[in-house]
Amino acid sequence: VSSPAAGASLGGDILRFYTDSDQLSWDVMDGYVNFISDVGFVLGLQNTRQALLKHDSKPVYFYLLTYTSLRAFSSFLIPMSYPKHASRFVGSGASHGDELVHQFKTNMSQAPILPPTPDDLAFMKKFIKAWTSFAKTGNPNCEELGKTWKEDSLENPSYLELGKEIKPVEGIVFPERMAFW
């Protein structure tokens, strides 16, 4: 059984790790977004990745989406939710669900998704070809990527960064943040 003081200390340690601060404010929101991302997505993805690599013989291909576009959900959802603070976040990185506008068309009239730019179209061609290649063969590698997407492993972790530039990366995503947990 832990005391309330121990919990408060742990919470403070987490807040300081992500924000270098003892208080939440808009000034430290970037770090807070990283915290929410890690707790809500990244830790679970890392645990799933490790379990698949330990207990399944099928290849694992891990990726990190960093491609940003004005077509992304975050580009219009953040301004709708936080109009006073949106300018500091829109375009600062990809967020959960942003890949969907590069894979599918939408008929949601409330989602003002812009037509794709030439850069978006080039990214979409690579992205969709890798996904369809994976669906057909179990391997996402294709000529359109222009890079080799290495199979992930526990011994030699790697992932593909899907951004303005597509690049293979050795290691795991956000290693310092994952080591903290």
Side-chain angles (χ1 to χ4, degrees), residues 109-179:
S109 60
Q110 301 85 357
I113 297 174
L114 300 173
T117 66
D119 285 344
D120 293 337
L121 289 171
F123 177 78
M124 291 164 72
K125 181 179 179 180
K126 295 173 186 179
F127 190 62
I128 290 171
K129 183 61 179 178
W131 258 237
T132 56
S133 178
F134 182 76
K136 289 178 185 177
T137 68
N139 185 327
N141 282 291
C142 58
E143 187 176 319
E144 287 79 0
L145 278 177
K147 306 285 181 187
T148 300
W149 190 339
K150 288 177 51 178
E151 188 177 320
D152 195 7
S153 74
L154 290 172
E155 301 78 28
N156 296 302
S158 66
Y159 62 95
L160 194 68
E161 182 177 337
L162 297 169
K164 300 286 182 195
E165 177 188 347
I166 293 177
K167 59 184 175 186
V169 179
E170 300 296 324
I172 63 170
V173 297
F174 312 119
E176 298 84 15
R177 289 165 30 193
M178 296 302 96

Side-chain angles (χ1 to χ4, degrees), residues 60-132:
V60 173
Y61 295 92
F62 202 84
Y63 74 93
L64 175 66
L65 180 74
T66 60
Y67 186 82
T68 58
S69 167
L70 290 176
R71 300 183 75 235
F73 287 128
S74 58
S75 292
F76 61 85
L77 289 177
I78 292 172
M80 287 170 51
S81 302
Y82 304 101
K84 292 180 187 176
H85 302 282
S87 63
R88 73 180 291 165
F89 297 107
V90 172
S92 66
S95 59
H96 179 65
D98 278 354
E99 75 277 8
L100 297 174
V101 297
H102 304 299
Q103 292 176 305
F104 306 104
K105 291 183 180 179
T106 180
N107 61 358
M108 297 184 313
S109 60
Q110 301 85 357
I113 297 174
L114 300 173
T117 66
D119 285 344
D120 293 337
L121 289 171
F123 177 78
M124 291 164 72
K125 181 179 179 180
K126 295 173 186 179
F127 190 62
I128 290 171
K129 183 61 179 178
W131 258 237
T132 56

